[in-house]
């Protein structure tokens, strides 16, 4: 059974999609051990607790130095001994130590087709604002392993979503979530839990 730790920051709709996929058997061989949020008000914490999952907040604001927050986050995660760490709308820049210790064991969902609209400053609704500003006709979501860069790790899966003429960032965000994020992230977890993915020379191979 794959032990999964999930990091969140906000509403937690991706977390909900993962919980639902486990409950309906779309994800097998995986169990969520803990949900950790940097934001005490994240609704994702409520979603976790409502589903009997341990939910913890570790806020950088309660530490004097970033280093102390980083250490606390790593320590807390290790308590649960995760095989996989899932960033489900996590807006925290992860400590390098964590990335090194969990090489190819951390995955993220990004609301665009990497390498478009990604990197520093591209997160959440901003990604869709920039896509609309540029007038792209196709966008989507990418699930990828996390390395030391921002959105640069090996890509696991991507799904394209159409942009409509009258889209607002909010409308586009909802469509990308419904048609892409909530599908490809649970699928990636199921693939990892069932040994269908390996990383070779920095690229993901589906076995
Ligand atoms: C999602 O759209 C996710 O792709 C994005 O934040 C949103 C979180 O929503 N993540 C990033 O932008 C990471 N760079 P949720 O809390 O409802 O899952």
């Amino acid at each position: 059974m794959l032990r999964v730790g999930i990091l969140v920051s906000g509403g937690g709709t991706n977390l909900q999609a993962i919980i639902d996929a486990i409950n309906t058997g779309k994800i097998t061989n995986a169990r969520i051990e803990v949900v950790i949020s940097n934001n005490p008000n994240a609704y994702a914490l409520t979603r976790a607790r409502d589903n009997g999952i341990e939910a913890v907040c570790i806020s950088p604001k309660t530490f004097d130095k970033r280093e102390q927050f980083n250490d606390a986050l790593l320590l807390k995660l290790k308590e649960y001994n995760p095989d996989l760490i899932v960033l489900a709308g996590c807006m925290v820049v992860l400590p390098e130590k964590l990335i090194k210790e969990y090489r190819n064991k951390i995955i993220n969902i990004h609301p665009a087709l990497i390498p478009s609209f990604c990197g520093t400053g591209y997160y959440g609704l901003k990604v869709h604002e920039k896509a609309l500003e540029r007038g792209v006709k196709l966008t989507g979501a990418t699930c990828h392993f996390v390395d030391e860069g921002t959105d640069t790790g090996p890509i696991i899966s991507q799904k394209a979503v159409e942009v409509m003429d009258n889209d607002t960032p909010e409308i586009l965000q909802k469509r990308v979530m419904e048609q892409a994020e909530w599908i490809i992230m649970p699928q990636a977890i199921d693939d990892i839990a069932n040994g269908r993915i390996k990383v070779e020379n920095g690229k993901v191979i589906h076995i």
Side-chain angles (χ1 to χ4, degrees):
M1 190 69 87
L2 189 85
R3 298 170 65 85
V4 182
I6 304 192
L7 303 187
V8 295
S9 297
T13 64
N14 278 285
L15 168 68
Q16 189 66 55
I18 297 164
I19 293 171
D20 293 346
I22 290 176
N23 290 342
T24 57
K26 282 189 188 149
I27 295 176
T28 58
N29 274 329
R31 196 189 123 85
I32 305 173
E33 298 295 332
V34 67
V35 170
I36 302 176
S37 172
N38 60 306
N39 165 14
N41 302 316
Y43 186 63
L45 288 171
T46 306
R47 291 184 194 269
R49 291 190 186 113
D50 285 352
N51 284 276
I53 299 163
E54 240 173 283
V56 184
C57 173
I58 302 180
S59 164
K61 290 186 185 145
T62 61
F63 298 90
D64 290 336
K65 294 196 177 123
R66 190 70 187 188
E67 265 304 291
Q68 294 168 325
F69 163 74
N70 288 347
D71 290 347
L73 179 61
L74 190 57
L75 207 68
K76 181 52 77 180
L77 266 169
K78 280 185 170 176
E79 265 180 42
Y80 294 88
N81 194 24
D83 303 305
L84 179 71
I85 297 168
V86 174
L87 311 186
C90 171
M91 303 303 170
V92 167
V93 176
L94 292 190
E96 243 183 66
K97 207 167 148 193
L98 174 67
I99 295 168
K100 284 204 163 59
E101 273 193 46
Y102 289 88
R103 173 83 52 207
N104 294 335
K105 288 182 177 171
I106 308 175
I107 65 171
N108 179 46
I109 185 78
H110 182 75
L113 294 173
I114 292 174
S116 291
F117 304 106
C118 65
T120 308
Y122 287 85
Y123 58 87
L125 207 56
K126 281 204 178 111
V127 176
H128 305 293
E129 283 168 12
K130 305 246 190 202
L132 289 177
E133 264 168 41
R134 184 62 187 84
V136 295
K137 306 303 175 210
L138 264 187
T139 185
T142 303
C143 187
H144 64 94
F145 284 107
V146 173
D147 67 7
E148 284 80 353
T150 307
D151 304 325
T152 52
I155 292 171
I156 301 168
S157 52
Q158 297 186 295
K159 195 163 186 290
V161 174
E162 264 187 89
V163 179
M164 304 296 178
D165 284 345
N166 296 322
D167 276 350
T168 61
E170 290 79 7
I171 290 171
L172 184 57
Q173 179 180 51
K174 187 162 180 280
R175 189 178 313 115
V176 168
M177 283 175 158
E178 283 172 354
Q179 295 185 9
E181 295 185 36
W182 300 343
I183 298 165
I184 66 173
M185 180 88 141
Q187 177 69 59
I189 296 170
D190 185 54
D191 285 344
I192 292 165
N194 291 288
R196 291 193 290 265
I197 281 179
K198 65 175 177 178
V199 183
E200 255 179 35
N201 303 323
K203 285 187 187 146
V204 170
I205 296 170
H206 291 261
I207 309 161

